[in-house]
Amino acid sequence: MKKLVLFYISILSITNINLFAQEKLVSNITEYNSTIKTAKAGDVIVLKNGIWQDVKLNAYGQGEVGSPILIKAETAGEVIITGNSTLNIYGEHIIVSGLWFKDGNTEYKSVVQFRKDSKTFANNCRLTNSTISYFKSKENLKDHWVDIWGKNNRVDHNNFTGKISEGTTLVVWLKGEEHVENNHRIDNNFFGTRPDLGKNGGETIRIGTSTNSKKSSKTLVEKNIFSSCDGEIEIISNKSGDNIYRDNLFVGSQGALTLRHGNNALVERNVFLGNGVSKTGGVRVINSNHIIRNNLFVGLLGDGFRGPIVVMNGVPNSPLNRYEQVKNVDIQNNTIINSGPISFGEGKDDEKTLAPINTNFSNNLIFNDKPGKNILFVDDVSGITFNNNYIDAATPQVINGFNTTKIDWKEIGSFPVPTAKNNDLLVVTKNSKSLEKDINNNIREVFNAGAFNLDANNLPRALKLRSGPGWTPNIVAPIIKAEEITVEPGIETLRKAIDKASPGSVLNLKTGEYILEKSIKVSKNITIVGDKGGATIIAAKKDLEKPISYLFRVNEGINLHISNAILDGVNSELKYAIVSPDKQEGGLYNLFVDNIIFQNFTNKNGGSVFKAYNGTKADTLSFVNSRFENNYRGLNLSYDKDIMELYNANTIIIDNTVFKNIEEAAINYYRKTVSTEIPGGNLIINNSIFSNVFNNEKGKIIRADGISNVSITNSVIEDSYKVITPVSLKGSNNSISNCLIHKSGFVKISDNAKKENLIYKNPRWDDNYLFTPSDKSPLLKVNNDIDNIGLKQ
């Protein structure tokens, strides 16, 4: 889909400019500053093609209706603004057109702002036909690419691609009465790649703030394309009142249009396409008096806060920065196809206890040919009226207000549209907010459920957009050089270093403690290397007001290498040392662990050293030269047990590694399958020790149910004296060989699995902590005539 998104539009004509106006070409900032001082209504200042380095452009003056002051590029796209540069637009009726802010490195908090200072603003001004790409800020600076102040300003037909620094891409401000009921327009722009920031502050658009969220903005956001806008969960963050979001296209963007604060938003005729990308969402609803109608949601893979439609729970007596209760919201005539579940009462917890009230959910159409729930009631839904919603799904759910039916479709350009044969859809419930037009803005001669008129012949406007400038910017992401960085011990020093590091960097840690106050979400390829000759300890801060559940999360598509450290769960409420991407984030990732000690992860509320969430998959999980000691569980990859053929890692490698004093399974690697001969999953264990693991009659020390390829060699299982069957292998590609089992039951095989050269004897340790065998130990090749067993000495 992304390749089909076009930037081309007809080059904008700036009309009605005074025929007697002056047009002057300027070739540098000195000439420009001299010219802008005397500019009058109707004048045109032309910036000469070329590189404009380290410039502060002030576009100001007193234009008039029909006679603006126009500042434009000699040739659109060939005036390159770079370096430490910024543009301030202020005054009346100023238009800036055709500039390319490219590959900058700014110390300014805004690339473009519609003001001079805290007292001088822009009204009736415009930024158009321009591009900002990969314009980054100096270290530790949260910058915005566009800050809109004043009233009646417009940002249109621009391309904004590649923001990688902290800070929202485009912000509308309401601080001060000069900016309330501003009637700004943000239209026909292309918002391109925005990588996951890994924390809050990565919105693409924010309108208002929590503090000013009760004010009316009246900003119109329409006909924009949001493609791969993954900065954070809120692609658009609505934080003010009376805004309209109309005819926008969201493509493969990992987040949602979020009505976070403020009331009276209208969300209509937008199209949300998942495009096979995980975490893609639709509309998340908080606060009051919103209307969400005539929207199309297709192939969205997000759930929870990122579902196609999410109606949140609220907080009693909510402060401005929390969650107000959903009230008087109307959601009707939307179509949801092959997407994650719609959720009501989402976020319910000890704080968010107020379920939605006085809310209408009617005339919506839901289709899903994939198994799974399509409707979730997380809390009480008695405050929501459900009428004449229709659902055609592979997994039936019998719910009042949701009528099961079989939809007859036709295709327009590969998009499904219900035909006139769907008589069920003619039974609807109308109210004062029911719109007599459909998603195509066509009159509903016969009112029906869903976003489209039955037998509609057109696709929504959002799917036909030609947003962006009238010229095509050839945007190339800059090559970011990997670094080698030394990180000092301390509180949050590791997180800050990872945030700042470029992808591929190596972080060298010293001997000492690296304390986390928040979990680290690894969203770039990183190598973490501790002090091999010392003791590098990574742990959570004690007595946190909001305890964290894990130290590291490896996001999808990421490779994390970590070595020479101790990950310690002591004196904390940590459940996990490392976790997979979040549930249903199916992109492959890799974790390579070398010479790491995992200790004291003892949280019995589902805890384990490593956890893989439902619907996630690692390509490789590799643990070598490492030690798991005094933990509740080791590796837990068992959460997809109810879904046939799903499993959480292609390959798990355990080499020269110790599991000691583990209360439950060392490895739980599960796949539900009708036959272990069906390919899926590889578990390779070499030269490893399993000592006092899952010491229970029903305990399985290594569980690899359904995994097609299992190889356990040269390893020791000992001192789990209550265990009857430490390992059960099934299938012709499962084998255990040249291993010693002592006081830990007997290995079981079936369906042509293989076991050979198993020794049931005392290992006879010389050192039972370091697992060094004595001279007479059967672990030594000289004594067993096959190969050394246990750790590589």
Side-chain angles (χ1 to χ4, degrees):
M1 176 69 195
K2 295 175 187 174
K3 292 183 179 178
L4 299 178
V5 175
L6 302 177
F7 296 110
Y8 293 105
I9 59 167
S10 298
I11 293 180
L12 301 172
S13 58
I14 310 299
T15 58
N16 298 321
I17 293 178
N18 189 330
L19 295 176
F20 299 101
Q22 295 185 18
E23 181 171 312
K24 184 168 183 180
L25 178 68
V26 296
S27 58
N28 56 56
I29 191 64
T30 301
E31 291 180 5
Y32 172 82
N33 286 337
S34 175
T35 303
I36 194 70
K37 283 181 181 179
T38 59
K40 59 183 185 299
D43 282 356
V44 179
I45 301 174
V46 180
L47 277 59
K48 186 175 177 59
N49 292 347
I51 305 296
W52 290 61
Q53 177 92 21
D54 301 333
V55 295
K56 183 176 183 181
L57 284 169
N58 290 310
Y60 62 95
Q62 294 297 311
E64 298 173 358
V65 176
S67 294
I69 297 171
L70 172 62
I71 297 98
K72 70 172 187 176
E74 182 180 14
T75 304
E78 294 188 25
V79 171
I80 308 299
I81 314 293
T82 191
N84 183 27
S85 296
T86 189
L87 166 65
N88 299 325
I89 303 171
Y90 54 95
E92 296 280 346
H93 297 284
I94 310 297
I95 298 176
V96 178
S97 176
L99 308 184
W100 187 354
F101 295 83
K102 181 179 181 182
D103 301 338
N105 191 15
T106 181
E107 295 176 349
Y108 296 98
K109 291 185 177 180
S110 309
V111 179
V112 178
Q113 65 172 341
F114 282 71
R115 70 173 186 172
K116 175 186 179 183
D117 50 37
S118 61
K119 296 181 179 180
T120 309
F121 307 106
N123 295 301
N124 304 296
C125 293
R126 183 179 179 190
L127 173 69
T128 187
N129 202 32
S130 296
T131 291
I132 305 176
S133 66
Y134 291 98
F135 214 87
K136 68 178 184 177
S137 63
K138 299 286 188 182
E139 192 173 302
N140 299 322
L141 178 66
K142 294 182 181 179
D143 71 320
H144 307 134
W145 277 5
V146 180
D147 283 313
I148 308 179
W149 301 82
K151 294 188 177 182
N152 303 311
N153 296 311
R154 186 180 182 193
V155 175
D156 67 288
H157 295 92
N158 302 294
N159 185 312
F160 304 111
T161 294
K163 191 174 195 306
I164 58 176
S165 56
E166 277 191 73
T168 308
T169 305
L170 185 153
V171 181
V172 173
W173 294 94
L174 285 87
K175 184 179 179 181
E177 292 304 313
E178 304 94 332
H179 318 291
V180 176
E181 295 191 349
N182 52 66
N183 294 302
H184 296 317
R185 290 179 61 191
I186 303 165
D187 65 283
N188 290 284
N189 301 289
F190 180 86
F191 293 92
T193 299
R194 171 110 205 233
D196 183 2
L197 188 62
K199 55 185 173 182
N200 290 338
E203 306 99 329
T204 295
I205 293 178
R206 190 184 78 233
I207 301 178
T209 59
S210 301
T211 303
N212 294 297
S213 58
K214 295 300 183 182
K215 296 178 179 179
S216 173
S217 184
K218 293 188 177 179
T219 294
L220 173 63
V221 180
E222 67 173 352
K223 302 178 189 174
N224 301 285
I225 296 174
F226 300 86
S227 178
S228 299
C229 293
D230 306 333
E232 64 148 86
I233 192 171
E234 299 179 13
I235 302 169
I236 296 178
S237 185
N238 182 87
K239 292 187 175 181
S240 54
D242 306 307
N243 299 311
I244 297 174
Y245 304 95
R246 175 185 290 151
D247 292 324
N248 299 289
L249 174 64
F250 298 80
V251 184
S253 293
Q254 296 183 319
L257 193 171
T258 303
L259 305 179
R260 184 65 183 87
H261 300 303
N263 303 319
N264 306 311
L266 172 60
V267 181
E268 65 176 356
R269 302 201 307 257
N270 302 285
V271 176
F272 299 80
L273 304 180
N275 217 33
V277 177
S278 66
K279 296 194 290 186
T280 44
V283 179
R284 183 158 65 106
V285 184
I286 307 153
N287 286 68
S288 304
N289 302 316
H290 305 307
I291 298 174
I292 297 101
R293 66 190 180 197
N294 285 340
N295 299 286
L296 175 63
F297 308 85
V298 180
L300 302 178
L301 300 184
D303 60 6
F305 284 21
R306 287 181 168 93
I309 298 175
V310 180
V311 183
M312 294 287 293
N313 258 25
V315 175
N317 301 311
S318 176
L320 287 174
N321 66 342
R322 296 306 294 145
Y323 289 79
E324 292 198 6
Q325 187 177 24
V326 172
K327 300 178 183 178
N328 306 318
V329 169
D330 193 85
I331 305 171
Q332 60 175 304
N333 287 99
N334 301 285
T335 294
I336 302 98
I337 298 175
N338 285 340
S339 295
I342 300 166
S343 185
F344 301 93
E346 186 59 55
K348 176 187 176 183
D349 57 21
D350 291 343
E351 181 198 29
K352 295 187 282 294
T353 58
L354 298 180
I357 59 173
N358 300 329
T359 291
N360 174 53
F361 190 89
S362 300
N363 310 330
N364 299 288
L365 175 60
I366 300 143
F367 173 85
N368 204 330
D369 59 10
K370 299 175 177 61
K373 289 187 175 181
N374 295 280
I375 308 294
L376 294 178
F377 293 159
V378 183
D379 200 359
D380 174 35
V381 293
S382 60
I384 305 175
T385 301
F386 297 97
N387 282 314
N388 292 315
N389 300 287
Y390 293 88
I391 183 166
D392 179 357
T395 304
Q397 289 178 265
V398 180
I399 301 173
N400 288 336
F402 292 84
N403 307 319
T404 58
T405 188
K406 190 69 177 176
I407 304 298
D408 185 69
W409 302 97
K410 69 177 184 179
E411 283 194 357
I412 303 178
S414 79
F415 284 89
V417 174
T419 70
K421 296 179 182 179
N422 294 287
N423 290 327
D424 284 356
L425 303 187
L426 299 177
V427 180
V428 294
T429 302
K430 296 175 68 175
N431 62 18
S432 61
K433 296 174 183 176
S434 299
L435 187 67
E436 297 293 338
K437 291 185 177 181
D438 74 347
I439 192 172
N440 293 324
N441 208 29
N442 291 329
I443 296 293
R444 290 185 183 271
E445 295 181 4
V446 179
F447 201 93
N448 61 269
F452 290 91
N453 278 331
L454 299 184
D455 255 344
N457 292 316
N458 292 307
L459 290 176
R461 178 178 292 172
L463 290 171
K464 305 174 185 177
L465 292 175
R466 298 294 182 265
S467 296
W471 49 280
T472 305
N474 181 22
I475 298 173
V476 178
I479 297 173
I480 302 174
K481 293 182 179 179
E483 307 167 274
E484 190 151 335
I485 303 166
T486 298
V487 185
E488 297 292 334
I491 297 175
E492 290 290 281
T493 56
L494 179 55
R495 163 200 316 293
K496 292 174 183 177
I498 290 175
D499 284 349
K500 294 176 186 176
S502 55
S505 294
V506 177
L507 275 57
N508 294 310
L509 313 188
K510 297 181 178 181
T511 287
E513 291 188 323
Y514 293 79
I515 305 300
L516 305 185
E517 294 180 323
K518 296 180 181 179
S519 299
I520 293 177
K521 297 177 182 178
V522 183
S523 57
K524 63 190 81 170
N525 295 337
I526 286 289
T527 298
I528 300 171
V529 181
D531 186 352
K532 192 170 186 179
T536 300
I537 301 170
I538 303 173
K541 189 177 181 181
K542 299 175 186 177
D543 302 320
L544 284 170
E545 184 177 344
K546 292 184 177 180
I548 61 176
S549 62
Y550 59 84
L551 296 175
F552 295 97
R553 161 164 279 158
V554 189
N555 285 353
E556 58 183 349
I558 297 303
N559 300 325
L560 172 62
H561 292 73
I562 183 167
S563 61
N564 306 334
I566 300 168
L567 273 59
D568 200 338
V570 70
N571 297 326
S572 71
E573 296 182 42
L574 283 168
K575 293 178 71 173
Y576 320 105
I578 304 175
V579 299
S580 73
D582 204 355
K583 57 185 180 179
Q584 306 307 324
E585 295 179 17
L588 292 178
Y589 67 99
N590 291 286
L591 172 63
F592 299 95
V593 171
D594 186 359
N595 193 29
I596 294 290
I597 297 174
F598 299 97
Q599 63 187 29
N600 302 317
F601 290 88
T602 56
N603 190 319
K604 295 184 180 182
N605 184 22
S608 57
V609 170
F610 173 84
K611 175 180 178 177
Y613 288 91
N614 296 56
T616 64
K617 183 178 282 188
D619 188 28
T620 300
L621 300 175
S622 175
F623 298 85
V624 302
N625 307 320
S626 294
R627 191 176 182 103
F628 295 68
E629 188 164 9
N630 300 328
N631 301 302
Y632 178 54
R633 292 172 177 156
L635 313 181
N636 196 352
L637 298 92
S638 66
Y639 287 89
D640 281 319
K641 58 188 176 185
D642 296 326
I643 306 177
M644 189 71 68
E645 301 302 335
L646 284 188
Y647 52 100
N648 294 118
N650 288 330
T651 301
I652 300 175
I653 298 170
I654 308 293
D655 186 47
N656 204 45
T657 288
V658 172
F659 292 82
K660 182 177 181 179
N661 299 337
I662 310 296
E663 191 167 334
E664 291 199 357
I667 301 166
N668 192 352
Y669 182 24
Y670 187 94
R671 178 178 67 132
K672 184 176 182 180
T673 177
V674 295
S675 170
T676 53
E677 301 304 312
I678 298 173
N682 302 281
L683 175 61
I684 303 166
I685 301 174
N686 295 314
N687 296 101
S688 294
I689 307 289
F690 300 84
S691 179
N692 187 25
V693 175
F694 213 160
N695 195 9
N696 183 294
E697 282 188 10
K698 297 183 179 180
K700 286 286 196 305
I701 294 171
I702 301 167
R703 187 183 183 196
D705 295 7
I707 302 303
S708 63
N709 293 292
V710 179
S711 172
I712 306 172
T713 59
N714 303 330
S715 296
V716 175
I717 301 173
E718 64 149 25
D719 283 357
S720 302
Y721 61 90
K722 293 182 182 178
V723 169
I724 297 171
T725 306
V727 181
S728 180
L729 299 179
K730 184 177 182 180
S732 61
N733 293 318
N734 281 210
S735 67
I736 181 170
S737 63
N738 203 39
C739 292
L740 181 145
I741 295 93
H742 181 244
K743 291 185 178 180
S744 301
F746 296 88
V747 172
K748 180 181 178 180
I749 62 170
S750 60
D751 291 359
N752 300 314
K754 302 176 184 67
K755 63 178 179 179
E756 56 184 1
N757 303 322
L758 301 188
I759 302 170
Y760 290 90
K761 293 182 179 180
N762 190 321
R764 303 184 69 171
W765 302 113
D766 185 51
D767 184 325
N768 64 359
Y769 179 78
L770 297 176
F771 297 104
T772 305
S774 67
D775 291 343
K776 296 183 179 180
S777 171
L779 301 173
L780 299 178
K781 181 177 181 180
V782 295
N783 298 325
N784 66 36
D785 297 325
I786 299 173
D787 200 354
N788 290 327
I789 300 173
L791 301 180
K792 300 168 186 175
Q793 302 297 323

